[in-house]
Amino acid sequence: MSNTKYILASYADPDDMMSGIDALQKNNIKIYDAFTPMPIHGIEDKLGVQRSRLPIVAFLFGITGTICAFSLMYYTLVYDWPMNIGGKPAFAFPDFIPIMFELTVLFAAYGMGFTFFYRTHLFPGRAPRVMDFRATDDRFVLAVDAAENTDHEKLDSLFKETGAVEVKYNDRKYVSYE
């Protein structure tokens, strides 16, 4: 059994890579991922990437911030230490709105940031994991799982037909900068 985990095809042009994606999908070959140095319009739809759930997480963190702000203000200003300020009632809801808004935005922003770093494994101190170093510079890379596709000659010919500049066999999951 081979130690090869991924087969990487490097393309010099994004149009060639998109035709490579089409050719692989016509032959029922599953693409593990695509790495590009710039955004390519429509690649998510072609690869079948699901829509991000980050907006749902932002909403949940925002609601948590609203509830925390309201709970803290209600507890401190109404229940624990009610004060008569200018004859206003202790529970003056319009006074609570600016602080609730601010904590909603704060919780949503920090929650989205932490969730993004957690899901993408980009937290501080972690070495970046890169399949091919040129994918961040000038190459467009398609990665195919070698274990699922055992006919490597067929993959090589498909990649070369669609304009791949180089086909590489990656024996580790990721290449580290270290």
Side-chain angles (χ1 to χ4, degrees):
M1 185 165 145
S2 173
N3 286 338
T4 303
K5 296 234 182 207
Y6 298 103
I7 301 170
L8 306 175
S10 297
Y11 293 91
D13 186 54
D15 295 329
D16 291 341
M17 186 184 71
M18 295 298 262
S19 67
I21 292 171
D22 290 335
L24 290 173
Q25 289 176 342
K26 282 180 189 168
N27 289 297
N28 293 325
I29 296 172
K30 186 177 179 229
I31 299 169
Y32 174 73
D33 209 348
F35 304 94
T36 63
M38 63 184 185
I40 297 176
H41 180 71
I43 196 168
E44 297 92 1
D45 297 331
K46 256 188 203 230
L47 292 175
V49 176
Q50 294 179 350
R51 199 170 148 81
S52 174
R53 293 184 297 229
L54 200 57
I56 296 168
V57 171
F59 177 75
L60 294 175
F61 275 112
I63 290 296
T64 303
T66 304
I67 291 170
C68 286
F70 180 79
S71 300
L72 178 67
M73 287 184 295
Y74 185 83
Y75 175 75
T76 56
L77 296 175
V78 177
Y79 180 75
D80 187 40
W81 196 265
M83 292 188 283
N84 185 357
I85 301 172
K88 290 190 221 170
F91 181 65
F93 187 72
D95 295 343
F96 288 17
I97 291 174
I99 297 165
M100 287 173 30
F101 172 76
E102 292 296 330
L103 279 182
T104 299
V105 172
L106 180 74
F107 274 53
Y110 273 99
M112 278 190 343
F114 290 135
T115 303
F116 175 76
F117 285 134
Y118 175 75
R119 290 289 296 148
T120 57
H121 304 285
L122 289 175
F123 27 86
R126 181 165 178 132
R129 299 180 305 176
V130 179
M131 287 274 196
D132 190 353
F133 292 117
R134 291 174 301 173
T136 60
D137 185 25
D138 64 344
R139 293 282 188 234
F140 302 87
V141 179
L142 283 179
V144 175
D145 193 356
E148 291 180 11
N149 303 293
T150 55
D151 191 4
H152 295 179
E153 290 81 21
K154 179 182 176 184
L155 281 173
D156 282 347
S157 65
L158 274 173
F159 286 140
K160 293 295 181 186
E161 286 172 12
T162 57
V165 177
E166 179 184 8
V167 178
K168 208 161 59 167
Y169 294 88
N170 204 353
D171 60 346
R172 293 181 289 171
K173 185 170 181 176
Y174 290 100
V175 178
S176 178
Y177 283 115
E178 296 174 351

